[in-house]
Amino acid sequence: MTPQTQHAELQITGMHCASCSARLEKSLNQLPHVTAVVNIATEKASITFDAAATDLDILIETVRKTGFDAHPARDFAAEKAARQAVLRRERRQFFIAVLLTLPLIVEMLLMFAGIHVMLPLWLQWLLATPVQFWAGARFYRGAWSALRSGSSNMDVLVALGTSAAYFMSCAVWLLGLDQAVYFEASATLITLVLMGKLLEANAKGKASAALEALINLQPKLAHTERDGKLLDVSAGSLRPDEIFVVRPGESMPVDGIVLEGSSSVDEAMLTGESLPQMKQAGDKVYTATLNQQGLLRCRALAVGSRTQLAAIIRLVEQAQGSKAAIQRLADRISAVFVPAVLAVAALTFIGWWWIGGEFSGALINAVSVLVIACPCALGLATPTAVVVATGRAAHAGILVKDAAALERAHALTVLALDKTGTLTAGKPSVTDVLAAPGIAGDALRHTAAALAQHSTHPLARALLDPLGTAQTVEVSDLHEYAGLGVSARLDGTDCLLGSPAFAAQNGVTLNDSALHALQQQGKSLIVVARNGTALGTFALADGLRESSRRAVSKLRGMGIRVVMLSGDNHATAQAIANQAGIAEFRAEVLPQDKAALIRSLKGEHEIVGMVGDGINDAPALAAAEVSFAMKSGSDIALEAADITLMHNDLMAVADAISLSRATLRKIRQNLFFAFAYNVLGIPLAVLGMLNPVIAGAAMAMSSVSVVSNALLLKRWQPSEPNRAASI
């Protein structure tokens, strides 16, 4: 049976730690033909499955059997409203728990101060019981679900620890035993864990602020022409080819093309470029960009989910829901961490009871071990940093396809740059026309135009701007040679147009000294020949982008080896490389050879990145460890790339690598904090040096500190001070 591959996004509720997400991911991946990635920071499962073997109902049922709940992911606003409703309910539970726990805490604090005021045991029980079984019900549900599926998680630790303190206290009260009671410990632990969860939820909400800001940019209203009238309609109701009008100070409701009018448009939210772009008839405009001056009459090209802004939002959501390779380390550790902690707690209890002979003291030390070891911080260390970093990248006009690409970028040692459209503006223009002796300029231009209009090469297309379309000629035997040129029979004669090397291969004699002089100036040459004789040569120049030299300098300063790839001859490539400050380049590289060069660089034990913008760059982009595509490039290049640069600026590559390095530093810091917290805390608890209440407070604050540390990535700024997005 032919596989029917489908993709689904499920919103998950009930996950609390890395063990939860790892357990759910394992359950889903055990289904036939299912590949699932579960992200605890976004609380989503991204699932690819074969519809012939599995359907959405089976996936949701599997989630529920594993102990969680799920529903198909809705739009951001609906999910946010649902999360806020849950947050309000949990906040209410927390404050009621605080009111019930306060008298118990006051009693404990007075005891530390030397004032022994004991609440009646029945009152302590009355205060602690609602906290234990109402406010703390979520921990029992989570623990039961985990144990039922044959695993364990943070809820098991909290439920076991607090239940041990609570039920031991009940036994002391009801049986009249001469032992201390710990109602205050169980109630305080649950209250502190709830506080940590609330603080964590607020911090996670801030982490996705960039995505929310992007979504809020989508305009709500459009002015459209229908039946000869200008009507105000919902932007979502516009259809392709409808005519809409944008007044000064308004945002574009959809992607379109200008039919009438001229204006400057602020595209900072889309490209990160602060300078307004002039728009006139024939220019494209994009959703949510701001019309600053004139009235524009436009035709809709892309609406709804097909707009550029919608594509950006999808990419950001995809990146935030993906998983970095370093996260798998935390997942593997969490899979064995909770069972190991349970064993340590049991040994602690047995050891203290055997050595000290005191049941209550041994139990409390075991409870401290259970509480201090909760792996919440471990599970949040990586995904929160990824969520913040990808949102910050989108803010700067850098769209990251997935977390793995963001992670790999920090390790790049070599960056290969395509010349045309990457280092240069990609808009060559004719600078010199050299007609051969005895050849009329009109004949040269006529032949060049007739051949150029049948070629897809950027240099051939650039010839048509000054030459225009040739008059009708009889064309036959047309052949285009990728990266070299084009040949054909025009009005019965054999003609060609292409590089000097292509002309020489076809037996055309050239004036090498004149051509060499032009090439030394960094110009590209196109030779026109008829019946084996050169008619003349066109010289074209494609200037460096304004920021290219600064970007190359910055990349080299970051310890990255920069290599330029060019289809031009050696002299032209040398001139451009010198202008850009690049010491290493490869000239006369055909499109099909670029991917082989990338593989060759990788064979030198280098970690290679590739920057390109054309269709012919797609194989090389796919071959690189990390690939970057300019937004001005072809759709195929954008699809093949890991990271898309919305502002066509090489400096953004340096920024992406800089952000990757900052993100990996934060992830490593978070993992260090999480591990160090457990490594230090568990021995103290085993040795009886940690009160359960203090352990609970430390556990709650560890999660908050990890998320707060990830939020510091919001301070990262792109290197160009004038590049800033409105979000």
Side-chain angles (χ1 to χ4, degrees):
M1 185 177 293
T2 304
Q4 301 175 27
T5 303
Q6 292 188 14
H7 183 79
E9 294 277 342
L10 294 182
Q11 194 73 39
I12 310 297
T13 55
M15 293 192 300
H16 303 306
C17 64
S19 297
C20 296
S21 58
R23 177 160 53 94
L24 178 55
E25 193 171 285
K26 181 180 179 181
S27 296
L28 288 169
N29 284 323
Q30 286 175 342
L31 294 172
H33 308 293
V34 170
T35 303
V37 175
V38 179
N39 189 306
I40 191 172
T42 57
E43 298 178 328
K44 281 186 178 179
S46 179
I47 308 170
T48 302
F49 61 98
D50 179 2
T54 308
D55 60 24
L56 203 57
D57 291 337
I58 293 175
L59 295 173
I60 292 175
E61 184 60 27
T62 301
V63 173
R64 289 172 179 164
K65 285 181 179 178
T66 312
F68 310 102
D69 201 0
H71 59 262
R74 299 166 293 193
D75 63 80
F76 189 88
E79 294 297 351
K80 182 182 178 183
R83 283 196 301 271
Q84 287 178 334
V86 172
L87 194 60
R88 283 193 296 271
R89 184 175 70 249
E90 291 182 350
R91 191 179 289 121
R92 184 169 60 250
Q93 285 184 332
F94 167 70
F95 283 119
I96 293 173
V98 168
L99 291 175
L100 293 170
T101 305
L102 270 176
L104 299 172
I105 295 177
V106 169
E107 177 193 61
M108 182 175 61
L109 293 175
L110 289 175
M111 190 179 300
F112 287 149
I115 303 172
H116 294 278
V117 178
M118 288 286 292
L119 292 175
L121 292 180
W122 65 266
L123 181 56
Q124 292 188 45
W125 172 83
L126 195 63
L127 292 169
T129 299
V131 177
Q132 185 72 37
F133 298 109
W134 177 68
R138 58 187 290 180
F139 303 115
Y140 285 102
R141 287 193 297 267
W144 168 245
S145 297
L147 294 172
R148 188 179 60 180
S149 62
S151 61
S152 52
N153 62 0
M154 184 204 86
D155 293 331
V156 173
L157 300 182
V158 174
L160 275 178
T162 58
S163 296
Y166 175 83
F167 285 114
M168 187 194 77
S169 300
C170 287
V172 170
W173 169 46
L174 294 173
L175 300 176
L177 302 177
D178 185 18
Q179 297 277 355
V181 294
Y182 293 96
F183 285 121
E184 82 285 349
S186 64
T188 304
L189 283 173
I190 287 175
T191 303
L192 285 171
V193 175
L194 291 176
M195 179 187 72
K197 289 298 174 186
L198 285 175
L199 293 173
E200 179 188 303
N202 286 330
K204 283 161 69 176
K206 292 178 182 177
S208 61
L211 178 60
E212 183 177 4
L214 277 173
I215 291 169
N216 289 338
L217 284 172
Q218 297 178 108
K220 304 295 187 292
L221 192 68
H223 314 302
T224 184
E225 294 181 4
R226 291 180 182 173
D227 300 325
K229 298 179 181 178
L230 192 63
L231 304 176
D232 290 347
V233 300
S234 165
S237 68
L238 280 181
R239 296 291 177 264
D241 294 326
E242 277 200 89
I243 306 301
F244 63 91
V245 173
V246 186
R247 299 162 181 156
E250 294 180 339
S251 296
M252 306 295 166
V254 294
D255 293 359
I257 188 167
V258 178
L259 299 178
E260 296 177 17
S262 63
S263 180
S264 59
V265 176
D266 181 357
E267 296 184 339
M269 52 69 53
L270 188 68
T271 66
E273 176 56 60
S274 61
L275 296 177
Q277 303 297 306
M278 288 305 300
K279 301 290 182 180
Q280 55 190 5
D283 291 337
K284 288 184 178 181
V285 292
Y286 300 97
T287 308
T289 56
L290 182 64
N291 182 25
Q292 294 188 323
Q293 297 167 340
L295 182 75
L296 294 177
R297 183 171 177 268
C298 310
R299 177 169 60 85
L301 294 179
V303 301
S305 62
R306 297 181 179 275
T307 65
Q308 190 93 149
L309 179 61
I312 292 173
I313 291 170
R314 282 195 300 274
L315 270 176
V316 174
E317 285 183 317
Q318 175 184 321
Q320 292 188 344
S322 61
K323 184 175 290 189
I326 198 170
Q327 171 64 20
R328 304 192 186 280
L329 169 65
D331 290 346
R332 287 196 298 270
I333 291 172
S334 67
V336 298
F337 187 74
V338 174
V341 168
L342 292 173
V344 171
L347 291 173
T348 300
F349 173 74
I350 294 169
W352 276 97
W353 195 10
W354 180 55
I355 295 171
E358 185 182 351
F359 177 84
S360 61
L363 184 62
I364 288 305
N365 289 338
V367 168
S368 297
V369 172
L370 292 172
V371 173
I372 195 68
C374 288
C376 307
L378 184 63
L380 292 167
T382 299
T384 47
V386 169
V387 167
V388 176
T390 50
R392 193 72 194 94
H395 181 99
I398 301 168
L399 298 184
V400 182
K401 186 176 289 186
D402 57 37
L406 183 68
E407 181 182 5
R408 290 193 304 269
H410 88 284
L412 289 178
T413 57
V414 175
L415 191 66
L417 309 176
D418 177 55
K419 178 184 76 71
T420 304
T422 302
L423 276 169
T424 65
K427 295 181 179 179
S429 57
V430 176
T431 59
D432 302 90
V433 181
L434 302 180
I439 300 298
D442 288 344
L444 172 62
R445 292 183 177 86
H446 174 77
T447 304
L451 290 167
Q453 66 190 9
H454 294 289
S455 174
T456 59
H457 194 282
L459 293 181
R461 308 309 295 174
L463 276 180
L464 292 176
D465 288 336
L467 298 180
T469 304
Q471 296 177 353
T472 303
V473 294
E474 183 183 342
V475 179
S476 61
D477 295 333
L478 178 70
H479 297 283
E480 182 165 11
Y481 303 88
L484 295 173
V486 60
S487 66
R489 287 185 64 81
L490 302 182
D491 292 330
T493 61
D494 292 325
C495 299
L496 66 80
L497 175 143
S499 67
F502 179 61
Q505 287 174 15
N506 285 272
V508 179
T509 303
L510 302 173
N511 183 345
D512 291 338
S513 59
L515 301 187
H516 185 68
L518 291 170
Q519 289 172 339
Q520 288 293 100
Q521 300 172 35
K523 296 178 180 180
S524 298
L525 305 181
I526 294 182
V527 176
V528 183
R530 183 174 59 206
N531 291 331
T533 302
L535 300 181
T537 303
F538 292 87
L540 299 95
D542 180 14
L544 283 180
R545 293 184 187 273
E546 184 180 344
S547 62
S548 289
R549 188 174 181 85
R550 296 196 311 275
V552 169
S553 176
K554 183 175 178 65
L555 287 165
R556 293 176 64 184
M558 296 168 73
I560 296 173
R561 172 183 161 200
V562 179
V563 180
M564 185 187 82
L565 307 182
S566 173
D568 291 328
N569 62 77
H570 188 277
T572 301
Q574 176 79 67
I576 294 295
N578 290 342
Q579 292 175 36
I582 297 174
E584 189 176 353
F585 64 91
R586 307 284 192 275
E588 300 182 8
V589 179
L590 296 177
Q592 59 268 30
D593 296 333
K594 290 182 180 179
L597 271 172
I598 296 297
R599 288 191 288 271
S600 172
L601 290 169
K602 289 166 69 174
E604 299 173 15
H605 305 291
E606 302 279 11
I607 301 174
V608 183
M610 170 70 188
V611 189
D613 74 327
I615 292 174
N616 57 13
D617 295 326
L621 291 170
E625 267 97 354
V626 184
S627 51
F628 306 82
M630 301 287 188
K631 178 188 170 289
S632 61
S634 71
D635 291 341
I636 294 175
L638 297 179
E639 183 65 28
D642 298 312
I643 298 173
T644 301
L645 312 174
M646 298 300 293
H647 32 67
N648 302 316
D649 184 347
L650 190 59
M651 189 65 80
V653 178
D655 287 338
I657 297 171
S658 167
L659 179 58
S660 171
R661 293 179 177 181
T663 304
L664 263 291
R665 282 196 298 271
K666 284 299 172 194
I667 290 174
R668 287 171 179 148
Q669 289 169 9
N670 283 349
L671 289 174
F672 172 79
F673 292 152
F675 285 128
Y677 159 79
N678 289 126
V679 167
L680 293 173
I682 291 175
L684 291 175
V686 169
L687 294 172
M689 301 171 65
L690 202 60
N691 182 283
V693 173
I694 296 174
M699 186 273 290
M701 294 313 297
S702 68
S703 295
V704 177
S705 64
V706 162
V707 177
S708 300
N709 187 50
L711 286 172
L712 292 177
L713 280 169
K714 285 191 169 187
R715 297 181 179 179
W716 176 87
Q717 294 291 336
S719 53
E720 295 289 344
N722 68 334
R723 189 195 305 138
S726 60
I727 64 171

